[in-house]
Structures are given as structure tokens and as C-alpha cells.
Amino acid sequence: MAALIDAIDVKRKMYFELENTPYLCLDFEISTPTARGGQTLVRLKMRNLLTRAVFDKTFKAGEKFKVPDLETDEASYLYSDTDGSYFLDQATFETITLSADKLGDALDFLLEGAIVQLDKFNGNPIGIQLPQQVELKVQYTEPGARGNTASGAVTKSAKLETGIEIQVPFFVKEGESIKVNTETREFAGRA
């Protein structure tokens, strides 16, 4: 029998299984009633790991969830085509294909050879976890003109080697490597 977790014990970044589907808790809120006999409720903001959908749902504090059969293996990104994106499992050296809907916007941060964490549910690949920060080269950005900061503008748009555009400080030049936060899609420093 699988281990069980009470709804009130679910915390941020914790995995649980509901109706044979794995979820990741993004946030939680516990509301205790003031009236006698009222039940404590737990409101979870959760991500379905199969569909990537995010939604809120309220549970009674005593409801139980199974611990999901999740594995995480290292994999390196190979390439993408119309059929999907290909990864090489570093443990088994097996090539794994993931469709675009399982990756979300992760391709914005992936370069050939990048190491990611590959999530598997019941042995089947369901998605990837990116590192907190990735290093990417600035492919194009306008040169920062002296005096532009006086008008209040302290950032400019830059196109990176994967094709995404982010805001960077004026001192960043074309061809320079920078760090990008994969969660917020923001400049995180020079590489």
C-alpha cells in the first residue's frame, strides 16, 4: 500500500497524487473556522504534472493523498523537430521524446547538451525541471546610449540565442553571456 499524506500536511513544492494523477503544490492556505463543529479547510494551488494546468482546489483537512511514484533522472537535451524534443537519459543512455505540451516554455532556455532533470511518473516521462538559472548569449541588443538612464529607462530589450527576448541592463552588450532566471524569465547577472 502506498504512503498517504493528509491534506493539511501538504506544503509548497510537495508532490502528491489525486485520482491517479501527480500534482505539485505551488501554494497552500489553511482556513480554520470560528464556529463550533466547523471543519478546517485546506486550499491548494496545484499544478497537474501531466497537463501542466494550474488551478486551485479546496480539501477537508483530513482528506488523504497518495505519494506519487515519481522518479527524477538527469538527461541531456539533444534537439527538437516537428515530432517533439529529444533527450538522452544519462542513466540508461536511452533517447526519450517529449511533446511540446509536456515541455511548456522550457525550449526558450534549452541549448544542445544542456543537462535537465527528467520527471517520470510510473516509469513514463512526463516533463522536465530546468535549473534555476541558465547561461545564454545575447544575440542582438541596441547599444546603451549614454544619458538614457536620466529618462528613467534602465533596461533595454535583448534577443538571446534561443530566440527569447528579455529586459537587460544598459551595460549588457551583444555577444556577451548572461544568466537568466528560468522561473521569472529575468536577467540574473553576467555569466
Side-chain angles (χ1 to χ4, degrees):
M1 174 144 170
L4 296 176
I5 308 168
D6 285 334
I8 200 154
D9 294 330
V10 175
K11 304 292 181 225
R12 286 187 77 228
K13 298 198 176 193
M14 204 170 167
Y15 296 97
F16 61 95
E17 189 175 327
L18 175 67
E19 298 167 356
N20 296 322
T21 305
Y23 289 92
L24 170 65
C25 175
L26 301 173
D27 206 2
F28 69 96
E29 185 180 313
I30 298 173
S31 59
T32 50
T34 54
R36 282 190 203 187
Q39 281 198 310
T40 301
L41 299 175
V42 180
R43 187 166 166 244
L44 298 177
K45 182 175 185 177
M46 50 201 226
R47 170 177 279 137
N48 181 324
L49 294 178
L50 300 179
T51 64
R52 314 295 294 163
V54 175
F55 56 94
D56 290 355
K57 192 165 181 176
T58 303
F59 301 95
K60 293 177 185 166
E63 285 188 58
K64 298 196 182 299
F65 305 119
K66 288 197 311 190
V67 175
D69 177 19
L70 283 176
E71 292 175 47
T72 304
D73 293 330
E74 274 196 347
S76 61
Y77 174 65
L78 299 174
Y79 64 95
S80 295
D81 62 16
T82 54
D83 296 332
S85 297
Y86 299 89
F87 296 85
L88 181 67
D89 188 320
Q90 297 293 301
T92 62
F93 297 106
E94 173 186 355
T95 302
I96 295 166
T97 307
L98 291 175
S99 58
D101 61 317
K102 288 184 180 176
L103 290 175
D105 60 359
L107 286 178
D108 290 346
F109 304 103
L110 288 176
L111 292 174
E112 192 175 302
I115 301 291
V116 295
Q117 300 298 316
L118 182 69
D119 292 330
K120 294 180 180 179
F121 177 62
N122 293 335
N124 299 318
I126 58 169
I128 64 168
Q129 295 176 37
L130 292 169
Q132 184 72 33
Q133 294 179 349
V134 293
E135 279 186 28
L136 296 172
K137 259 199 177 93
V138 176
Q139 201 168 33
Y140 175 78
T141 188
E142 295 287 332
R146 201 173 159 96
N148 280 3
T149 56
S151 64
V154 292
T155 63
K156 59 184 178 178
S157 183
K159 186 172 183 173
L160 306 181
E161 61 186 316
T162 57
I164 65 167
E165 283 193 29
I166 66 165
Q167 293 296 311
V168 297
F170 270 117
F171 59 78
V172 174
K173 297 178 182 73
E174 216 170 279
E176 203 173 339
S177 288
I178 62 169
K179 292 178 186 170
V180 181
N181 184 315
T182 57
E183 284 183 26
T184 61
R185 302 173 76 93
E186 292 175 350
F187 174 80
R190 285 182 162 148

